[in-house]
Amino acid sequence: MNLPLNRHLAAAQPSATYQVIDRVAALRASGRKIISLCAGEPDFDTPAHIREAAIEAIQAGHTRYTQVAGMRALREAIADKFRRENGLNVHWQDTLVTSGGKQVIFNALAATLNEGDEVIIPAPYWVSYPEIVQLCGAKPVIVACDGSSDFKLTAVALEAAITERTRWLLINSPANPSGAVYSRDELKALADVLLRHPQVLILSDDIYEHLLFDDIRFNTLAQVEPRLQARTLTMNGVSKAYAMTGWRIGYACGPHWLIEAMEKLQGQQTSGACSIAQHAALAALTGPQSFIQQSRQVFQRRRDLAMRLLNETPGLHCATPQGAFYLFVSCAALLGKITPAGSHLHTDADVASALLEEAGVAVVHGSAFGCGPYLRIAYALDDATLEQACLAIQTFCHQLFHQRQD
């Protein structure tokens, strides 16, 4: 017998990314060879000095509970990072350490949202944004930002979306899934709108901060407009920059009243993050930073490789992303086609499914991120395998255009 669930949970959708990952696992278990371009994590090993710090923490007995908000040494390092790299006036008590970056977002929204509140989310968006808003009982207000605006929210669109019930704006730069990066001028234009609406809080998701290409400079909203710092939660983490996705350490800085509320919630939820992972994160933030530049160079090379091959593929097109490690590829010209196996491609989800089943390549459909018909392709794997995957996609698309479409 199935008993009723919480109504907000019952209405929520599972992560499309993890659904694809589960399908990949099932196909591999059946003996199929699948190349996955769907996981949003670096393929590198965590740098050695970070791993060694974790081992030393275990051997030193640092295996017990920490404070709910995180070890003071780590919080001080986080505050120093925000001051040094982002120009934010941050005290260690204005920071919070969480079990992954997703918990920052969930804690912030759960601590502040009530029935009827609205959260502005530019689309394409990370798949969890609207679901978290909905789980908190509020309404996600999706603002379409297509290729004509380089997948970025404009000041005009922001102004039009704000109502008296708007509680938050979520902004992600560099962005998942598009790789779009907001310039200083673009952020300033958004800030000018937000200054006219003091009821709106801002969550700046900077998790891909260090994955910027072509000598692009990173800017975050509270840095561009310091008058907004009093209502901006700036979040980050060690997962993408230091190849530490499984270590599950996110962090944020923001107004003290909000950090206190998030800490209160976390105290009844997970308590402090893993003590060993916190020591590793401390080593990441305070130790050698050469890994960041090295990985950035590798990702830019991979971006250029994948983008060249996919833009040479009939029916596909992608603009040049400035950050993260994703290509957001238009597949509009494939819709209406029939695959060699007889599948009708009506949507980008159909295209993604056919690529998996017939070409052995896993991608995530763009409509899962609120913007179709696109495919999100993560190029976080070695060059040879990445090239093999892109060539398999090429072959699949060539077949669509060189067979009879009855």
Side-chain angles (χ1 to χ4, degrees):
M1 180 177 67
N2 294 328
L3 296 176
L5 296 172
N6 172 278
R7 61 188 176 90
H8 300 305
L9 178 62
Q13 299 298 316
S15 167
T17 304
Y18 281 107
Q19 285 182 314
V20 176
I21 291 171
D22 288 345
R23 287 187 67 190
V24 169
L27 287 170
R28 286 174 172 169
S30 71
R32 290 280 306 277
K33 292 184 178 180
I34 305 295
I35 301 176
S36 177
L37 302 177
C38 59
E41 62 178 346
D43 59 313
F44 312 117
D45 290 332
T46 303
H49 73 278
I50 299 174
R51 287 179 276 142
E52 289 164 3
I55 294 169
E56 290 171 5
I58 294 170
Q59 292 174 336
H62 298 310
T63 56
R64 305 184 189 282
Y65 295 135
T66 71
Q67 298 94 324
V68 170
M71 304 186 311
R72 176 164 175 173
L74 178 55
R75 295 176 73 190
E76 288 178 339
I78 290 166
D80 183 61
K81 174 261 184 283
F82 281 124
R83 289 191 297 265
R84 181 183 69 253
E85 295 186 349
N86 307 118
L88 301 180
N89 183 19
V90 177
H91 188 269
W92 71 268
Q93 291 177 312
D94 302 321
T95 67
L96 181 71
V97 180
T98 60
S99 298
K102 188 180 292 188
Q103 191 178 25
V104 171
I105 302 168
F106 200 106
N107 284 359
L109 299 184
T112 55
L113 291 175
N114 291 294
E115 297 282 344
D117 287 343
E118 297 176 351
V119 177
I120 295 173
I121 303 174
Y125 47 70
W126 180 47
V127 293
S128 292
Y129 288 155
E131 302 305 324
I132 292 174
V133 170
Q134 198 224 212
L135 286 168
C136 294
K139 176 184 177 183
V141 176
I142 308 302
V143 180
C145 306
D146 59 19
S148 64
S149 63
D150 296 325
F151 305 109
K152 291 182 277 190
L153 180 68
T154 65
V156 172
L158 173 60
E159 184 73 68
I162 294 175
T163 73
E164 62 181 13
R165 294 191 146 182
T166 303
R167 184 65 166 154
W168 283 93
L169 164 67
L170 303 188
I171 188 164
N172 178 211
S173 176
N176 175 7
S178 68
V181 177
Y182 286 81
S183 69
R184 185 177 186 87
D185 289 344
E186 289 166 336
L187 290 175
K188 183 64 172 67
L190 296 178
D192 289 343
V193 173
L194 292 163
L195 287 171
R196 297 194 292 271
H197 299 277
Q199 85 279 12
V200 181
L201 295 163
I202 304 105
L203 196 156
S204 183
D205 182 348
D206 298 352
I207 197 73
Y208 295 97
E209 171 187 1
H210 291 294
L211 290 173
L212 289 170
F213 309 131
D214 307 317
D215 298 319
I216 297 292
R217 180 172 178 148
F218 178 75
N219 295 281
T220 194
L221 192 59
Q223 174 188 30
V224 170
E225 180 46 82
R227 287 177 291 176
L228 290 176
Q229 187 170 343
R231 51 190 171 104
T232 299
L233 183 70
T234 303
M235 69 146 290
N236 214 309
V238 297
S239 60
K240 316 297 184 182
Y242 302 98
M244 295 178 67
T245 52
W247 298 80
R248 310 309 302 139
I249 296 291
Y251 59 81
C253 70
H256 195 62
W257 66 268
L258 177 58
I259 294 296
E260 280 190 330
M262 293 168 65
E263 180 182 358
K264 179 180 178 182
L265 176 62
Q266 187 165 303
Q268 301 298 341
Q269 183 191 53
T270 59
S271 298
C274 169
S275 59
I276 300 159
Q278 287 191 58
H279 280 276
L282 178 61
L285 292 175
T286 60
Q289 301 297 300
S290 57
F291 175 80
I292 290 175
Q293 178 62 25
Q294 294 165 2
S295 62
R296 182 190 296 130
Q297 291 172 350
V298 171
F299 278 129
Q300 181 164 334
R301 184 183 72 239
R302 293 174 177 176
R303 177 202 67 173
D304 294 344
L305 169 66
M307 193 168 60
R308 175 179 60 81
L309 291 173
L310 293 173
N311 277 331
E312 293 173 352
T313 301
L316 300 182
H317 173 73
C318 63
T320 305
Q322 296 178 318
F325 40 69
Y326 308 107
L327 297 178
F328 206 49
V329 183
S330 172
C331 62
L334 302 184
L335 302 188
K337 300 288 186 182
I338 303 174
T339 72
S343 297
H344 291 251
L345 305 181
H346 300 297
T347 66
D348 55 4
D350 294 334
V351 175
S353 180
L355 281 171
L356 178 58
E357 297 293 341
E358 300 181 35
V361 179
V363 302
V364 186
H365 53 288
S367 53
F369 303 90
C371 187
Y374 286 86
L375 304 172
R376 191 196 74 169
I377 291 178
Y379 48 88
L381 71 171
D382 67 271
D383 295 36
T385 307
L386 178 62
E387 182 173 9
Q388 182 183 352
C390 291
L391 291 174
I393 294 172
Q394 275 192 357
T395 299
F396 173 85
C397 292
H398 276 294
Q399 290 173 336
L400 292 180
F401 283 90
H402 292 90
Q403 67 174 354
R404 290 182 58 187
Q405 297 288 311
D406 296 327

